[in-house]
Amino acid sequence: MFANYLIGLREGLEASLVVGILIAYVVKVGRRDVLSKLWAGIGIAVVVPLGLGALLTWGPYGLSFQAQEILGGGLSLVAVGFVTWMTFWMGKTARSMKTTLQSKLDSALVGAGWGVIILAMLSVGREGIETALFVWATVASVGGGWEPVVGALLGILTAVVIGALIYRGMVKINLGTFFTWTGAFLILVAGGVLAYGIGDLQEAGVLPGAGVHAYDISGIIPSSSWYGTFLTGIVNFNPSPTWLQVFGWLAYVVIVSAFYLRQHRASAKPAKPAKPATTTPDSVQQHQATASSSSASSSSASSSMAASSTSPLPRTTAS
């Protein structure tokens, strides 16, 4: 439940920030006439993810067991790809997001402003689709139930409240720190969803190694215990994974974490100041030689001018 709450909070806060930026800019440029179109696009962006979630939840019931496992495993891998891309995209474009949205909004406001609907739908709908897909994958990995869905909804409601308070100027939070830490935690959650997707594809016969478990610690951490349930809800804990699930989880977490830390360190480094010009003995000698030659040239030119000015004028004889 906590993992889905965090997913809903992070994605909901991103969407709330996007909505706040769009509304504030529309009001700033005096185009309140397109606010209704903006809210229409936001409404469509909310309805589409809900429909997608319902389709993913109740649609596969008519499929065979193998087809359901293939669908579940494939969508879990897609969800991991979405969340990974979202995490790196936010770290890369967070600083320029406001400028980018305002630039796109300038183009959408041309004429009657019908492009605002599309801009709002795409900007907010992307976050909603990512949330629906990833929440569905985490719900499926823990065996269903309403707790993960309730957690995601509570996270979204919290994000809406925080976004409204930020828009009103009543709350200030360090968004960089928030997205950095939640992004790091989502890498662990996504690793668990990846392992679950691999397990589904193994059960469907798409991937080899089904039934070959790397270890079994269900006697130490039973899945039915409160702490086993807690770990399952947080990081999709599996007490008896297959070797392929272990390798997939380790490879994903290690590689993605390394690139994530690299991106975070690169963005945290301040800009390097321009280096002052350095002088070397060779450059000093060259400068002195150039100055000496310039001085000698100017001296010779002055001597020539003096000689020409003091020389006697030619005598003219009367004819």
Side-chain angles (χ1 to χ4, degrees), residues 4-251:
N4 288 277
Y5 174 82
L6 189 60
I7 293 169
L9 178 61
R10 179 188 171 96
E11 294 295 311
L13 189 55
E14 288 184 20
S16 298
L17 293 175
V18 170
V19 171
I21 291 172
L22 294 177
I23 293 176
Y25 192 67
V26 166
V27 173
K28 180 181 178 181
V29 298
R31 292 297 305 272
R32 292 179 178 269
D33 57 299
V34 301
L35 281 176
S36 59
K37 299 182 179 67
L38 180 62
W39 284 112
I42 294 171
I44 296 173
V46 173
V47 171
V48 170
L50 292 176
L52 177 62
L55 178 64
L56 294 175
T57 302
W58 291 290
Y61 282 130
L63 301 176
S64 64
F65 172 78
Q66 185 181 21
Q68 289 184 13
E69 294 299 298
I70 293 175
L71 179 63
L75 289 178
S76 295
L77 299 184
V78 172
V80 171
F82 265 121
V83 171
T84 305
W85 171 81
M86 174 266 298
T87 301
F88 283 96
W89 176 85
M90 194 62 188
K92 180 180 179 181
T93 62
R95 296 180 179 179
S96 60
M97 182 173 64
K98 181 177 180 180
T99 305
T100 303
L101 285 174
Q102 290 178 350
S103 176
K104 292 181 179 179
L105 192 55
D106 284 333
S107 301
L109 287 173
V110 175
W114 289 103
V116 173
I117 297 179
I118 300 176
L119 177 62
M121 184 175 62
L122 294 177
S123 300
V124 180
R126 178 186 58 201
E127 311 294 341
I129 291 175
E130 290 174 1
T131 304
L133 191 58
F134 198 66
V135 169
W136 175 85
T138 54
V139 170
S141 66
V142 298
W146 287 101
E147 292 85 357
V149 178
V150 172
L153 291 176
L154 290 176
I156 293 173
L157 290 176
T158 305
V160 171
V161 173
I162 294 176
L165 293 176
I166 292 176
Y167 179 77
R168 296 290 182 181
M170 301 172 64
V171 171
K172 292 183 179 180
I173 61 175
N174 191 329
L175 295 175
T177 302
F178 171 80
F179 285 118
T180 297
W181 285 104
T182 54
F185 180 76
L186 283 181
I187 291 175
L188 294 177
V189 177
V193 173
L194 175 65
Y196 169 78
I198 292 174
D200 271 359
L201 295 177
Q202 285 181 312
E203 291 181 3
V206 177
L207 295 177
V212 183
H213 298 281
Y215 54 82
D216 188 354
I217 57 174
S218 56
I220 302 175
I221 307 178
S223 299
S224 57
S225 62
W226 68 268
Y227 45 90
T229 304
F230 176 78
L231 291 174
T232 301
I234 296 295
V235 292
N236 292 281
F237 169 74
N238 183 1
S240 57
T242 63
W243 281 107
L244 188 58
Q245 286 178 304
V246 172
F247 287 143
W249 186 89
L250 283 175

